[in-house]
Amino acid sequence: MIFFGVKLIIGFIGFGEVASTLTKKLQNFDVDVITSLNNRSEKSKQLAIKSNIKVFKTYGEIAKLSDILISSNNPKSALDVAKKYGKLTKRIFLDLNNISPKTAENINEIFQNEKGDNTRNNFINGAIIGRITNENHKIIVSGIKLKEIIALNDYGLNITPISENIEDVSKLKMLRSMYTKGLTAILFETFDVASSLGLSDELFDILSLTEGKNFKKNAKSRINSLAISNERKFQEMEEVLTFLEEINNDKNKTFDSTMTIATKNKFKDFIK
Amino acid sequence: MIFFGVKLIIGFIGFGEVASTLTKKLQNFDVDVITSLNNRSEKSKQLAIKSNIKVFKTYGEIAKLSDILISSNNPKSALDVAKKYGKLTKRIFLDLNNISPKTAENINEIFQNEKGDNTRNNFINGAIIGRITNENHKIIVSGIKLKEIIALNDYGLNITPISENIEDVSKLKMLRSMYTKGLTAILFETFDVASSLGLSDELFDILSLTEGKNFKKNAKSRINSLAISNERKFQEMEEVLTFLEEINNDKNKTFDSTMTIATKNKFKDFIK
């Protein structure tokens, strides 16, 4: 255990559902969780008060005091937060913003620049798989300091190392989107027809035979999600297609993206 | 139990894997299984010998002697077999050929014609869900005489009634194809990219978290199936699209078929 004998300090920049859920787990151990509420939403303030954590005036203080600084905002502000506070922190800067491979690369450059040396690179790219509120969620991580970050498993977190390649976590999230959104689009299309024929329940039943136990529940939640978050999903598919173009360029090859393009178009049709 | 007290006779026209697997189950009960091997393949002859069943010279004899006549050939010969032998049999003519909704309708007309009356319609449309060799497979059925056919559950079979509407089983098979082939296409596309990035195993792992226990095994078998049976799958998708057009005409509505068309095209790319 790397942090043995010292009281671990973990700081959050951004205190939403991810931060408050992780805080609850960390508080079962000898950990100080800190944040700043400067310019934060009312919801974040409420969550921080409920979580009973130490609140400081500035993010600079948080960064400097933390052994591990966790950026849990949104993909758009990820690079800016990393630039301002990433290198102030003691050991690890962990991004949990679902950033793209490109943003991961850009943030990584901040941590490499000074010495041009990766052995001192404190940046860890992380992503949450499954709903954060679901007990079975996992945090996958990539970056040089894998050993240091998985030490947090001794503090109640569920972290799975992927590789030292900083972009890998973002790539996996992209590939996961390609699959899950494609599946959502197919489910929507199939059950739209099935329900018009009065055969939805029967189709759920026969698909459940081969598609696993929770198929019906999962499929219904996917189908419903399309109607309520199709615009966000459409944007995610645009990101996935950008990612595929980058791979085509890298590999000097053309991966067929028939299904991915169709999935994007499927979501587009639902945007009013 | 409808057949109580008499020795049930079940005849097969076509004696391949489906017939021989069902025979094994039926032989645990007081049932005579019969077939003819007239014009049959060497494989069928071997299966019939192994199954230790009674073999007659003509299909006409089989049809007349059987309480339940099961047509287990292929979709192309289904109508012809039904025309020649369907009405000769005593109680039920069960088709297990994976026929299209259109063929189900055409066969149904044979059984309606004489009296124009559905109460004497002996035709049952059946389809096997799951591999026949898998113990968990199910036979779904539609047609008027549901009660008589599900009596076979007392003879070791696993039959699930869907509805009295003869086409429903075929429609469910079409809808199932729409979903399963679409899923295969997406899996193929996603893992093609993942493996080029060296991230296949990691992607299997993180998808398994949300996609169920046997996800990896099932996904791999889907991906492999594309490479070996893409031409058949392409043809099945053409059938699905014909089916969707028919529904559009029936309902005077246009269901979006973006994903289904993309799936067909995905399979087309693999036909050399």
Side-chain angles (χ1 to χ4, degrees), chain B residues 8-97:
Chain B
L8 186 64
I9 301 177
I10 296 185
F12 283 98
I13 299 188
F15 207 83
E17 203 172 26
V18 167
S20 67
T21 309
L22 296 181
T23 295
K24 227 175 275 168
K25 289 164 174 271
L26 293 164
Q27 283 172 335
N28 293 323
F29 298 85
D30 197 20
V31 174
D32 270 340
V33 177
I34 63 176
T35 197
S36 171
L37 293 169
N38 195 8
N39 274 324
R40 286 292 150 183
S41 71
E42 196 49 43
K43 196 193 161 199
S44 287
K45 284 173 190 166
Q46 292 304 320
L47 282 171
I49 291 164
K50 261 196 209 160
S51 298
N52 198 26
I53 57 168
K54 291 180 191 161
V55 176
F56 288 77
K57 266 204 172 158
T58 67
Y59 296 106
E61 288 171 275
I62 299 299
K64 283 175 201 159
L65 286 166
S66 296
D67 294 298
I68 296 173
L69 182 65
I70 301 178
S71 173
S72 47
N73 298 275
N74 55 59
K76 275 184 192 165
S77 56
L79 181 59
D80 196 42
V81 167
K83 268 185 191 157
K84 279 188 190 153
Y85 310 111
K87 294 186 75 180
L88 300 177
T89 205
K90 288 183 186 164
R91 296 178 191 229
I92 300 279
F93 176 74
L94 170 62
D95 184 286
L96 288 182
N97 295 307

Side-chain angles (χ1 to χ4, degrees), chain B residues 201-212:
Chain B
D201 285 338
E202 290 80 0
L203 185 60
F204 276 127
D205 286 346
I206 66 168
L207 286 177
S208 295
L209 285 177
T210 47
E211 307 302 304

Side-chain angles (χ1 to χ4, degrees), chain A residues 158-175:
Chain A
N158 186 5
I159 296 177
T160 302
I162 297 295
S163 77
E164 294 195 347
N165 182 356
I166 200 70
E167 292 169 51
D168 277 357
V169 153
S170 302
K171 285 178 179 171
L172 279 170
K173 283 290 272 191
M174 284 285 153
L175 291 165

Side-chain angles (χ1 to χ4, degrees), chain A residues 189 211 222 256 260 266, chain B residues 189 211 222 256 260 266:
Chain A
E189 189 161 306
E211 306 303 304
R222 285 204 162 103
D256 174 62
T260 314
K266 188 80 190 170
Chain B
E189 188 161 307
E211 307 302 304
R222 286 207 160 102
D256 175 64
T260 315
K266 189 80 190 169

